[in-house]
C-alpha cells in the first residue's frame, strides 16, 4: 500500500513537470527553466524550476520575466513552539507544556509564482501542500499519523483589469472546488480575500482565488456546519480535491497568459506594472506567513523562499499613477480596495 | 525660555534645508527636490523633500536616483502598549498595568535616505530624533517632561567597496562623537553593526556608522560605566552631541558622492547595485523597527515611511554575482559578513 506521503510526492512531481512544460511551450525561443535539485541537510529534498533572463539595460522580450515552480518533500523534527501553534487547529497533536521534545513531521508541496513580462498579463501564485505529524520518523504504510492536513490555493495578481480574465480564472477554480462539495469555494474564496490583504495600503495584493489550510478529517473553522456532501472529509477525498485544484492551474491561467502575452504596451504601462510589483514585495516580505516563517527558520533555503519576489520592483513617493479617476490603473485599484465575486 | 521641543524642531528644519541645498547644488541640471508639507490629523506636521525622476525605459542621468530628506514634528497620545515598551529603558514613565490611559508624547526628527544612481556611489541613511513624554499635552516652558530621550545615527551602504570612502565616513562621524565623550563612538558603532543586520542573508545591510536610542540623563544600557566625561548626560549636552552628529552628515557623505557620481559604470555594475537594493528592501520591510512600527500604526503616513525604499530593486534566484572569489562584488560581500573597524 502506498502512503499518502508517496502519493502526494508523486502528484506534485508530475504537476510541476506539466506546468513547466506548458510554460516552456508558450515561448519556445526563450531559454528553458533551470531545474535545480537540492537536498535538505536535516532531511528531504526539493526541485526548483526557475525561469529568468540575463540582466540587460535593454529589457528582454521573453513571455516570462521571472518564474519559479518548486516542489519540496521534507521531513524533520518539529520544535515545541511550532507544535503549540499547530495544536490550535489540530487537537489530536499531543502537547505537554513542560516537554521540550520535538515531533517528527513530513511536508510535501508545490509552490509557484509566475511574473510575465507583459503588463497586461497577470502574475499568478499557487501552492498545494500536505503536512503530517507522526510519532515515529518513518511510519509503516497503513499506520495513521497523529495529525495530517492539506493546504493550498491559487490567486491572480494583474496590473490591468481584464474582467474576462479574472472571471475565467475564478470560474475554473470554482468548478474544481464545487466538484468536491459546495462549502469549499465560498469558504476558501473569502479566506483568500482576507489573507492576501495589505493593511498599510488598504488594498488586496491581487484579485483573489482560493486559500485554505488545515483541511483534514475534523470540523473546519471556516466550514463549521459542512456535512459530508458539502466538503470532503477523508484523506483520500481531500487529496482528490487537492489534485483537482492543482490540475485546474494550467486551464485557469495559461489561456489568460496566451491571450495577453503579446499585447503591445507602453512605458507608462510597464511603470505601473513595476509599481504593482513593489506592492507584491511589500505583501510577501511584511505579511506572508510562509515567507516570514521561512525567514525565521534556521537552515531554511532562503533562495527558494524568496523566489516569489519579482525580478524588478519599483517604488515612487506619492505616485500619481492609479489616482486619476477612470484611468485603467484606477480601475484596478478600485477592485483591489473592494473584493468582488467573480464566479 | 525656548523649550527643547522648539530647539529640536528649529535645528532639524535648518539641517533639512542645508542637506537638500547641498544635494541640489551637486547636480544643478537635475529637477529640484519636491518640497511637500503635510499636516498630521492627530497633531503635528512634517516636511518631506523628495527627489525622483520620471519613469523612462532609458534611465535618466541625474546624480541621484531617489532621495528623501524628511522632518516631522508630531504630538499625540501614546497607547498603553507603547508606554509599556518604552518603560523598559525609561523607568521614570509611570505605568499602571490596569490603566487604559494614554500619555501625551512629542516627537521631532529628521530622517533621510539617499540612493544615488551611480553604482560606485553609496546609499546613505541618517536619522536624528527627540522624544518626550509629558503629563500634559502642552507643557509650560521650563517644566520637566516625565521622560525624554534622543536617538539617531547614520550609516553607509555601498554596492562597491572603496575603503577610502568608508574610512572617511566613519572618521567624520567618529570625530563628532569623540568631541562629546569617548564612550559614545565605540558603543554606537557596535550597536549600528548589530542593528543593520539581515539574519536570513547572514550579512549586514551596509558598512555601518552610528546607531543609538534612549540617550538621556540616566545610565545607558550600552554605556553602563560611562562617567560624565565619557558621555553627555544633560539634555543640553546631549542635544549638543546630536547637533554635531547631524552637522557631520554633509561632510561625511557629500565628498564621497562627489568623488563617485561620475565614475563610468557597466551594465553588470548596475545589475549588482539593483541586487544590493533588493537587500535594502529586505532589511527595511522585514527587520527595520521604525518601518515595522510605522506600518502597524493606524493613521501613519505610509508614503513618508516607505520613502526609504529604492526607486528600483532586483531579485535573482541563486544569483552568481558576488560569489566569484576576489571579484569587486565579492569584496563587498566579505566586509558585509564581517563588520570591521574603519576609524
Amino acid at each position: 500500500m502506498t502512503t499518502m506521503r508517496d502519493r502526494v510526492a508523486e502528484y506534485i512531481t508530475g504537476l510541476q513537470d506539466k506546468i513547466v512544460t506548458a510554460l516552456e511551450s508558450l515561448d519556445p525561443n526563450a531559454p528553458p527553466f533551470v531545474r535545480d535539485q537540492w537536498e535538505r541537510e536535516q532531511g528531504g529534498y526539493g526541485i526548483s524550476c526557475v525561469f529568468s533572463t540575463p540582466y540587460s539595460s535593454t529589457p528582454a522580450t521573453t513571455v516570462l520575466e521571472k518564474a519559479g515552480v518548486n516542489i519540496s518533500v521534507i521531513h524533520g523534527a518539529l520544535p515545541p513552539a511550532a507544535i503549540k501553534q499547530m495544536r490550535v487547529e489540530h487537537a489530536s497533536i499531543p502537547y505537554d507544556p513542560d516537554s521540550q521534545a520535538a515531533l517528527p513531521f513530513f511536508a510535501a508541496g508545490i509552490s509557484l509564482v509566475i511574473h510575465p513580462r507583459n503588463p497586461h498579463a497577470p502574475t499568478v501564485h499557487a501552492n498545494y501542500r500536505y503536512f503530517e505529524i507522526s510519532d515515529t520518523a518513518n511510519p509503516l504504510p497503513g499506520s495513521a499519523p497523529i495529525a495530517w492536513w492539506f493546504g493550498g490555493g491559487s490567486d491572480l495578481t494583474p496590473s490591468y483589469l481584464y474582467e474576462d480574465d479574472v472571471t475565467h480564472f475564478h470560474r475554473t477554480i470554482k468548478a474544481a472546488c464545487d466538484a468536491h462539495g459546495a462549502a469549499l469555494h465560498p469558504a476558501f474564496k473569502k479566506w483568500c480575500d482576507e489573507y492576501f490583504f495589505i493593511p498599510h495600503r488598504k488594498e488586496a495584493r491581487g484579485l483573489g482565488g482560493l486559500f485554505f489550510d488545515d483541511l483534514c478529517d475534523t470540523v473546519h473553522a471556516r466550514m463549521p456546519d459542512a456535512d459530508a456532501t458539502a466538503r470532503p472529509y477523508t484523506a483520500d477525498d481531500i487529496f482528490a480535491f487537492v489534485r483537482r485544484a492543482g490540475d485546474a492551474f494550467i486551464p485557469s491561467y495559461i489561456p489568460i497568459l496566451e491571450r495577453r502575452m503579446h499585447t503591445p504596451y507602453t512605458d507608462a504601462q510597464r511603470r505601473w506594472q513595476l509599481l504593482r510589483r513593489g506592492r507584491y514585495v511589500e505583501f510577501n516580505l511584511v505579511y506572508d506567513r510562509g515567507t516570514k516563517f521561512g525567514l525565521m527558520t534556521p537552515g531554511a533555503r532562503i533562495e527558494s523562499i524568496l523566489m516569489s519576489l519579482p525580478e524588478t520592483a519599483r517604488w515612487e513617493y506619492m505616485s500619481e499613477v492609479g489616482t486619476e479617476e477612470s484611468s485603467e490603473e484606477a480601475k484596478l485599484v478600485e477592485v483591489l480596495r473592494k473584493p468582488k465575486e467573480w464566479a
Side-chain angles (χ1 to χ4, degrees), chain A:
Chain A
M1 191 178 145
T2 320
T3 61
M4 185 56 83
R5 295 177 177 209
D6 292 338
R7 292 168 68 196
V8 172
E10 193 191 335
Y11 172 69
I12 59 177
T13 306
L15 182 60
Q16 178 186 41
D17 192 56
K18 274 185 231 164
I19 292 170
V20 170
T21 303
L23 290 167
E24 285 179 338
S25 60
L26 274 186
D27 195 12
N29 298 322
F33 277 64
V34 173
R35 276 120 172 122
D36 191 9
Q37 173 141 5
W38 47 270
E39 302 288 324
R40 183 169 171 270
E41 212 174 291
Q42 302 90 336
Y45 68 95
I47 304 171
S48 294
C49 296
V50 177
F51 179 89
S52 65
T53 58
Y55 176 80
S56 160
S57 55
T58 51
T61 55
T62 51
V63 168
L64 301 184
E65 184 162 323
K66 190 175 171 204
V69 184
N70 298 348
I71 65 166
S72 62
V73 180
I74 64 173
H75 59 268
L78 207 59
I83 297 172
K84 191 181 169 188
Q85 208 183 327
M86 285 171 176
R87 276 207 81 236
V88 177
E89 299 296 335
H90 304 280
S92 59
I93 304 173
Y95 179 65
D96 171 358
D98 300 325
S99 162
Q100 290 303 305
L103 280 176
F105 81 92
F106 168 91
I110 180 167
S111 180
L112 66 88
V113 178
I114 296 162
H115 295 289
R117 196 173 290 282
N118 195 303
H120 300 282
T123 286
V124 72
H125 157 255
N127 166 242
Y128 292 99
R129 56 191 183 271
Y130 173 66
F131 206 92
E132 206 178 274
I133 293 175
S134 330
D135 39 17
T136 166
N138 292 297
L140 291 171
S143 70
I146 290 175
W148 58 269
W149 62 93
F150 286 89
S154 179
D155 63 285
L156 199 69
T157 307
S159 296
Y160 286 95
L161 176 63
Y162 289 95
E163 302 209 348
D164 284 358
D165 294 357
V166 188
T167 303
H168 168 81
F169 180 80
H170 279 268
R171 281 195 185 148
T172 309
I173 55 182
K174 179 177 188 297
C177 291
D178 288 353
H180 295 266
L184 296 170
H185 186 261
F188 299 167
K189 195 274 181 189
K190 185 164 178 274
W191 202 347
C192 189
D193 287 337
E194 289 169 17
Y195 181 80
F196 291 105
F197 183 73
I198 309 176
H200 66 264
R201 297 290 191 180
K202 298 185 182 69
E203 65 183 33
R205 184 179 79 171
L207 297 184
L210 284 188
F211 181 90
F212 66 98
D213 202 0
D214 301 310
L215 192 58
C216 60
D217 57 358
T218 59
V219 170
H220 194 282
R222 295 257 168 182
M223 302 174 291
D225 307 319
D227 64 24
T229 62
R231 54 154 284 200
Y233 271 95
T234 68
D236 273 351
D237 288 351
I238 294 172
F239 183 43
F241 155 62
V242 168
R243 284 200 310 272
R244 193 175 306 230
D247 291 346
F249 175 76
I250 292 177
S252 73
Y253 179 67
I254 297 288
I256 300 174
L257 181 54
E258 256 183 309
R259 197 145 67 192
R260 306 296 166 199
M261 66 194 197
H262 296 309
T263 307
Y265 63 89
T266 64
D267 268 11
Q269 289 166 335
R270 173 69 173 162
R271 172 188 175 197
W272 174 241
Q273 181 194 39
L274 295 177
L275 291 170
R276 297 313 312 169
R277 295 211 160 141
R279 303 293 169 96
Y280 208 84
V281 172
E282 289 176 27
F283 178 84
N284 286 20
L285 292 182
V286 180
Y287 301 105
D288 185 57
R289 275 184 246 157
T291 305
K292 284 172 83 162
F293 182 78
L295 294 182
M296 304 305 155
T297 305
R301 193 166 190 269
I302 294 302
E303 291 291 335
S304 296
I305 294 164
L306 296 183
M307 74 82 192
S308 66
L309 300 180
E311 183 213 69
T312 305
R314 180 177 174 89
W315 284 271
E316 296 178 7
Y317 172 76
M318 301 284 276
S319 184
E320 78 284 6
V321 197
T323 61
E324 200 190 327
E325 222 178 311
S326 80
S327 66
E328 288 302 313
E329 292 78 14
K331 266 198 228 168
L332 179 83
V333 173
E334 200 181 312
V335 289
L336 292 174
R337 297 223 169 118
K338 233 192 252 169
K340 275 181 60 170
E341 292 308 319
W342 293 99

